[in-house]
Amino acid sequence: METELKGSFIELRKALFQLNARDASLLSTAQALLRWHDAHQFCSRSGQPTKKNVAGSKRVCPSNNIIYYPQMAPVVITLVSDGTRCLLARQSSFPKGMYSALAGFCDIGESVEETIRREVAEEVGLEVESLQYYASQHWPFPSGSLMIACHATVKPGQTEIQVNLRELETAAWFSHDDVATALKRKGPYTQQQNGTFPFWLPPKLAISHQLIKEWVEKQICSSLPA
């Protein structure tokens, strides 16, 4: 097929750097739905095989008529700021040089606000002073998530980071200028002669990119004379 179409297959994560918003949304939905069907082929009550409807929007157990609908896992993604800087982190699974906002799954019984405060405390040892909702986005990884993006602030005098190395590879504060420059870059990048990788951010289609971009724009607006 690759020879016939004169192309090559790549992972969806990498494809998101090249797709437009419409195609990315269609492929993200398709992947999440296919993974859900693959993981729900049997009824959790009877153990019998389930059957999907023609549209693929649900699965039904013929033995007890239980209907299963696709679900998404709620995930908070939070950009922490101390007023003049924002905190970005990376996991070992990230492409080299890429940093993003903090993210974590909501636990049962938690509100979005409680999840944010817990995740920030667990991952970087900081206490959130205030937070503000930004937007949400469906994300196909790992198997269909609802990304809930928020801004959070910490007290200026309480900014010492304690990185949880079981969760993150590293985390650091970045200035407005550093982040504004990174937003203009297009990754992923190759290794430089000195062995390092340029600091860059997730692709434009990712809500983390939009969250970070809004923070930069707010900083510019606040610095303008009234």
Side-chain angles (χ1 to χ4, degrees), residues 34-160:
L34 288 171
R35 285 188 174 182
W36 177 82
H37 279 293
D38 185 59
H40 291 79
Q41 297 184 44
F42 296 91
C43 177
S44 61
R45 182 71 61 84
S46 68
Q48 296 298 310
T50 57
K51 294 183 178 180
K52 67 177 180 179
N53 64 341
V54 175
S57 60
K58 63 182 179 181
R59 298 189 73 93
V60 181
C61 177
S63 66
N64 54 29
N65 292 321
I66 292 179
I67 302 175
Y68 294 90
Y69 294 99
Q71 296 178 335
M72 294 189 296
V75 177
V76 296
I77 181 161
T78 309
L79 186 63
V80 178
S81 171
D82 66 352
T84 59
R85 303 174 297 172
C86 72
L87 189 149
L88 299 171
R90 58 174 279 107
Q91 299 176 358
S92 58
S93 60
F94 285 8
K96 296 295 184 180
M98 192 188 86
Y99 282 73
S100 185
L102 301 177
F105 288 95
C106 295
D107 284 345
I108 291 178
E110 279 187 329
S111 65
V112 169
E113 293 83 358
E114 289 170 336
T115 302
I116 290 173
R117 296 181 188 281
R118 174 181 58 78
E119 283 290 335
V120 173
E122 285 181 359
E123 295 189 353
V124 292
L126 296 176
E127 183 178 350
V128 171
E129 182 178 33
S130 63
L131 53 91
Q132 181 181 19
Y133 171 78
Y134 167 63
S136 64
Q137 178 190 49
H138 169 259
W139 192 243
F141 312 108
S143 57
S145 303
L146 177 63
M147 307 298 293
I148 305 166
C150 297
H151 292 281
T153 58
V154 296
K155 294 181 179 179
Q158 300 177 1
T159 57
E160 184 178 350

Side-chain angles (χ1 to χ4, degrees), residues 26 38 54 60 82 105 128 137 161 164 173 185 196 198 210 214:
L26 288 172
D38 185 59
V54 175
V60 181
D82 66 352
F105 288 95
V128 171
Q137 178 190 49
I161 301 172
N164 182 346
W173 291 104
R185 297 193 181 111
T196 63
Q210 301 302 322
E214 190 195 46

